[in-house]
Amino acid sequence: SLHPVARQWRRRDSLRQPDMQLQRLLIASCASHRLAHRRCAIHMEAAPGRDLSFRVREALLDAEEQPYTVWSEPGSDRPLRANLDLLVFRGRTLARRGDKDGARATYLRCVALDPLDGRGWLALGRLSERDGDPDAAIAMIERGLAHNAGNAYLLQAAGAIQERRGSTDEALDLYARALRSDPRHAPSWVSASLLLQRRRKEGAARRCLDLALACAPRSYYVWQVSGQWHRRQGQLSSAREAFRRSLQLNGANVATLHAWGVLEWRCGHTDLAATLFQQGLHIQPHNKYLLQSWACMEARCGSAASASRLFAAAARKQSADGAVWQARGMHYRAQGDVERARRAFATGCSLEPTHTPLFHAWGSMEAEVSNVTAARAIFQRGVWERPSHPRTVGLWVSWALLEERCGDLKAAREYLRAALRAERFCVFARAAWAALEARQGDCAASRQLYEDALRIDPANRGVWSSYEAMERAARRPAAADLIHARSRRAADLAASGLGGTAPLPAGLEQAARAAAAAAAARSDRWCP
């Protein structure tokens, strides 16, 4: 019987020109290269009037039906890496073309040939996650870890899936396991840094990025993430330099062009930002992030017509993307066109109901225009879609503030508790709750919530400022002055810790020492 990949290929349109790289892969997988070429010649002689591409493809399909030849290393039971290289490339090609069944069959062949090679397990896990089944993705990666428990790529991938599910503690533990297994695994250092940034551990996040750069100085992605970290810290010159290095390593990296364009937009350099966005769209004309950001920039600059054209282009090219409809609805809301905004939000929610920020934007708009019943219904729909996901925090907080304005303080406090259950490290949820208690005159509860928030993010100037204002409003000037002095010390301490000396979580410290020692022993340091 036909191999599933060959069967799927045969069903395609017979006049379609086959991919030459795929032809070479199919020929390489035959029992004999000569057999494939001989059959190709027979087909051409037997039917000289048939289309050449059709005859070549038929010959390759016949060859694909032959048993797959596996070459092994001398004295080893494991097959040559070239076998897996060919199959992994074939699987990626099929996945890019939308043939998930063929890709999955190819990756299953990979793990059957060599279960110790993690690439097949990793690809199968990604296919399962794209199908909306993260549990199956984790199960597949765990099967790979059963064969190779120290595979850093599988451990990092499992951590990324857990983080997307909202299980940040488990994710950080998996990143630490990956780095203890391979201290020079740069993707795990980057993933740990991004998670620590979300926890407001900026010093530790910077240290992880420094270790990633020491391990992989030629990685354009590490430079890109480093640039984004510097941008968030307000270190614009360092951010631009990191983006420049990233593009020097990979000039076609659209994510770096987008991040740099956003930086220049925020700095008021709209012409340069537009140039960077346009350069990215030359590389990827359908990139939704570039179209969205450019449209938002035009809208902020007062070019409503240009913004509408860009939003329309983004909606045409990414019609089922909730973020596109969210940005478009917010644009209409800023113009005062509530009805068009409402239609855009509704369209986005119907196309991508799991995009939580879309419900947040829609519900907040309805609350602003005093449509309380609709706002409650929209917030409820949003939290039903992903009840315990960290992205629901904004929905819970906005819903709580709505109930406070309506006088239902019991419901408001319950929704704020739900926000902290969804993301226990959320600073702004605690700050919002503290402000609510201050407005109700309960300064003791407010004070405790502010202190909890500052334990998570000691350098958060907004929280310090609100805390100080609360004490001054309560006619406690001495306490307010003390809070002001504490905020200055916290800012100085945070500035000293951003240089790469901040402590890491216990699970990462051992890996950090090993990575630093390995980096110091390198003799091929490179600086672009």
Side-chain angles (χ1 to χ4, degrees), residues 171-307:
L172 189 60
D173 180 64
L174 287 163
Y175 297 148
R177 284 177 58 191
L179 289 166
R180 286 195 296 271
S181 175
D182 182 4
R184 293 185 58 188
H185 190 240
S188 293
W189 284 118
V190 172
S191 297
S193 173
L194 293 172
L195 192 154
L196 291 170
Q197 289 177 46
R198 283 187 277 275
R199 290 188 174 184
R200 302 296 193 273
K201 305 293 184 183
E202 299 294 347
R206 167 66 187 276
R207 190 174 169 196
C208 288
L209 282 177
D210 289 343
L211 289 165
L213 285 170
C215 296
R218 296 176 176 84
S219 171
Y220 71 89
Y221 176 66
V222 177
W223 282 109
Q224 172 200 326
V225 176
S226 179
Q228 291 172 323
W229 183 89
H230 285 293
R231 177 175 63 83
R232 281 190 291 271
Q233 302 305 314
Q235 302 170 1
L236 303 184
S237 298
S238 299
R240 290 186 178 100
E241 177 62 17
F243 290 146
R244 184 191 67 80
R245 293 191 179 198
S246 176
L247 291 173
Q248 186 175 5
L249 289 162
N250 182 4
N253 182 23
V254 173
T256 301
L257 290 167
H258 175 254
W260 196 350
V262 170
L263 182 150
E264 300 300 345
W265 165 27
R266 303 298 186 194
C267 293
H269 306 150
T270 54
D271 290 339
L272 178 55
T275 300
L276 290 164
F277 292 149
Q278 191 171 22
Q279 185 178 346
L281 288 172
H282 281 310
I283 300 169
Q284 288 186 11
H286 304 293
N287 189 286
K288 64 180 181 181
Y289 301 106
L290 290 166
L291 289 166
Q292 265 183 245
S293 296
W294 197 355
C296 291
M297 184 182 75
E298 295 292 344
R300 296 285 178 85
C301 294
S303 302
S306 298

Side-chain angles (χ1 to χ4, degrees), residues 264-528:
E264 300 300 345
W265 165 27
R266 303 298 186 194
C267 293
H269 306 150
T270 54
D271 290 339
L272 178 55
T275 300
L276 290 164
F277 292 149
Q278 191 171 22
Q279 185 178 346
L281 288 172
H282 281 310
I283 300 169
Q284 288 186 11
H286 304 293
N287 189 286
K288 64 180 181 181
Y289 301 106
L290 290 166
L291 289 166
Q292 265 183 245
S293 296
W294 197 355
C296 291
M297 184 182 75
E298 295 292 344
R300 296 285 178 85
C301 294
S303 302
S306 298
S308 296
R309 284 196 298 271
L310 288 164
F311 279 128
R316 284 194 303 271
K317 295 173 181 178
Q318 298 287 340
S319 60
D321 190 277
V324 172
W325 291 102
Q326 176 193 346
R328 196 173 188 181
M330 294 174 70
H331 167 63
Y332 292 141
R333 176 69 183 99
Q335 289 183 312
D337 194 340
V338 175
E339 285 303 322
R340 291 184 73 185
R342 190 174 285 131
R343 287 196 297 272
F345 290 139
T347 301
C349 288
S350 64
L351 292 172
E352 191 179 4
T354 59
H355 187 70
T356 307
L358 184 56
F359 289 96
H360 187 195
W362 188 7
S364 298
M365 184 195 75
E366 298 294 355
E368 288 174 8
V369 298
S370 300
N371 195 354
V372 175
T373 303
R376 285 186 177 125
I378 293 164
F379 288 143
Q380 183 67 79
R381 282 180 59 192
V383 298
W384 273 343
E385 291 292 340
R386 309 178 83 177
S388 60
H389 196 276
R391 285 194 174 186
T392 61
V393 169
L395 282 168
W396 288 117
V397 172
S398 295
W399 196 357
L401 297 178
L402 173 65
E403 297 300 341
E404 183 198 5
R405 290 196 296 272
C406 295
D408 192 347
L409 295 177
K410 181 180 179 181
R413 292 188 177 99
E414 180 58 37
Y415 296 153
L416 288 166
R417 276 191 284 271
L420 293 177
R421 284 196 296 271
E423 176 52 273
R424 61 192 179 91
F425 292 101
C426 184
V427 172
F428 92 89
R430 283 182 168 81
W433 196 348
L436 181 148
E437 298 297 350
R439 288 191 292 271
Q440 301 306 315
D442 191 348
C443 293
S446 177
R447 193 174 295 117
Q448 182 61 49
L449 287 161
Y450 278 129
E451 292 290 347
D452 291 344
L454 291 168
R455 274 193 287 273
I456 297 171
D457 187 5
N460 193 306
R461 289 177 290 183
V463 176
W464 282 113
S465 179
S466 299
Y467 193 4
E468 181 183 350
M470 185 272 291
E471 295 290 8
R472 294 197 186 281
R475 301 179 184 276
R476 291 166 49 90
D481 292 340
L482 178 60
I483 291 168
H484 182 76
R486 286 174 60 196
S487 70
R488 296 288 297 272
R489 289 196 298 272
D492 293 340
L493 183 62
S496 65
L498 294 181
T501 59
L504 292 174
L508 296 174
E509 195 63 53
Q510 179 183 358
R513 289 194 292 269
R522 286 171 61 97
S523 59
D524 59 340
R525 286 184 176 276
W526 175 82
C527 183

